[in-house]
Structure formats: C-alpha cells, structure tokens
Amino acid sequence: MLLDVNWAMKWLTLCAQAMAEHRLELIELDRAIGDSDHGENMDRGFQAVLDKLAEAAPETPGAVLKLTAMTLMSKVGGAAGPLYGTAFLRAATAVGDSAEIDPAAWADALAAARDGIVARGKAEPGDKTMVDAWTPAAEAAKAAADEASPEILTVLVAAAEAAEAGAAATDPLVARKGRASYLGERSIGHRDPGAASSALILRAAVGAAA
C-alpha cells in the first residue's frame, strides 16, 4: 500500500475531526502558557480546509497538501497559521506531482515540513515548540523508511508515536520561544499546545491509512 489522494483527503478529514474533538484541550493548554486561542484557531482552520477540498477535488496528494497549506495560512491566526502553512507547503513540494507516496517520500515530506517550521519559527529542539514534535517524528520516519522493505503504515506509526513522545517531553521544558517564553520557569509543567496539535495531525495520518 502507498499513500494516494484518497488517503490524503481522509487524512485531512481526520485532522479536522481531531481538532474539533480536542479543541477544548488545546485551548486549555494554550491558556496556561499562551493566549488561549490555539484550539479555536486549529478547529476553524481545518474545517476551512475541508470546505476548500470539497470545492477543489485535488488529483494528487501533493495538491491536497498545497491547498491545505494555503488555507491554513489564511484562516489560522497567530503563529500557528504561518508555521503549519509552511509545513504543509514544504511537504507538498517534497512529494511533487506523484500519484502515490512511498515510505521514503513520506519521510522526506516530514523532514521538509520540519525544516519549514524551523525556518519560519527560528526554533530549535528543546525550545518547547512544535519543533519538539516534528523533529523526532521526521527522524523516526527516516529510520523506519530506511529499514529493509519498509511498510508505509510502519513509517506512519513510527512518526506518530515519536511526535506524541516529543509533545509529552515538552512538559518539563522552559519555553524559549513565543509568548510562553515570557513566563520563563513558570512554563515548566505545561505541554506546548503546538506540539500537542502536531501529534494529533500525525496520528490522524495513521488513521487515514489503517
């Protein structure tokens, strides 16, 4: 099995469902160390993505990712819109016009997304941002894709589990970027909301392929 346009469409549908289901959780995480709007923004942004996908009917996974990028940039406020928009756009560029995404291409797409977030946000691993979810996810996907005869589902699961562990690992960190950095030591004990939403997105990618 490889990842085709139907998988990509289902992935974004599950992303929208996840953001709706975890909206209040993301709001509470952001209330503790941010400005409380992450859950609202992500829910609104991915619902808008579904509306755009219904209008456009993209023909390739890359086209789905590009449309998602453009929509998130325009609909999601704060830092999350540009960061997620850049991530999806870089991933779209990485997969190009291919009809299907194989394990190596998915690993490359995640690395491109991570690099885009780093370039846009100027954050590094350990800064208590979404980079702390995307970096281990990209590394885990690469390691799984480099195995002999890798299965795409195995690569997707490796990335999702690494993102979830990375998000959890932001709990004890001191924020060094964004609004949370104003809190200094008081940011310890709170999960970064961007890392949490990133983990939801990569878990949805698994669900779309299962």
Side-chain angles (χ1 to χ4, degrees):
M1 174 192 173
L2 299 178
L3 306 177
D4 60 13
V5 69
N6 292 323
W7 167 83
M9 295 287 283
K10 186 175 179 182
W11 178 27
L12 272 303
T13 299
L14 294 181
C15 282
Q17 290 179 4
M19 295 308 154
E21 291 171 2
H22 293 272
R23 173 177 162 273
L24 293 179
E25 175 188 332
L26 294 173
I27 287 173
E28 288 305 314
L29 290 176
D30 200 28
R31 192 189 310 281
I33 59 173
D35 47 15
S36 308
D37 62 356
H38 190 61
E40 194 71 48
N41 282 335
M42 296 301 287
D43 183 25
R44 183 178 62 253
F46 277 93
Q47 292 302 323
V49 168
L50 292 190
D51 292 341
K52 288 291 185 183
L53 289 174
E55 295 172 4
E59 296 182 352
T60 66
V64 172
L65 299 181
K66 184 175 181 180
L67 187 150
T68 299
M70 297 299 107
T71 305
L72 293 178
M73 284 182 181
S74 66
K75 296 294 184 181
V76 177
L83 290 170
Y84 274 123
T86 300
F88 275 93
L89 189 58
R90 292 287 187 95
T93 301
V95 301
D97 296 328
S98 299
E100 295 181 319
I101 301 172
D102 64 16
W106 178 245
D108 289 345
L110 289 188
R114 184 273 316 278
D115 292 347
I117 292 168
V118 169
R120 172 69 72 170
K122 311 299 182 189
E124 300 175 351
D127 283 346
K128 199 180 181 88
T129 72
M130 63 173 68
V131 172
D132 291 306
W134 285 91
T135 295
E139 292 173 351
K142 178 70 167 72
D146 285 346
E147 295 287 332
S149 304
E151 295 287 340
I152 190 66
L153 186 58
T154 301
V155 180
L156 289 165
V157 169
E161 290 180 347
E164 289 163 354
T170 65
D171 291 7
L173 298 178
V174 176
R176 295 198 294 252
K177 287 288 182 181
R179 191 180 181 91
S181 66
Y182 302 156
L183 298 176
E185 297 285 331
R186 285 182 292 142
S187 65
I188 294 174
H190 301 286
R191 187 160 305 179
D192 178 70
S197 61
S198 297
L200 291 174
I201 287 170
L202 294 177
R203 177 55 66 183
V206 177

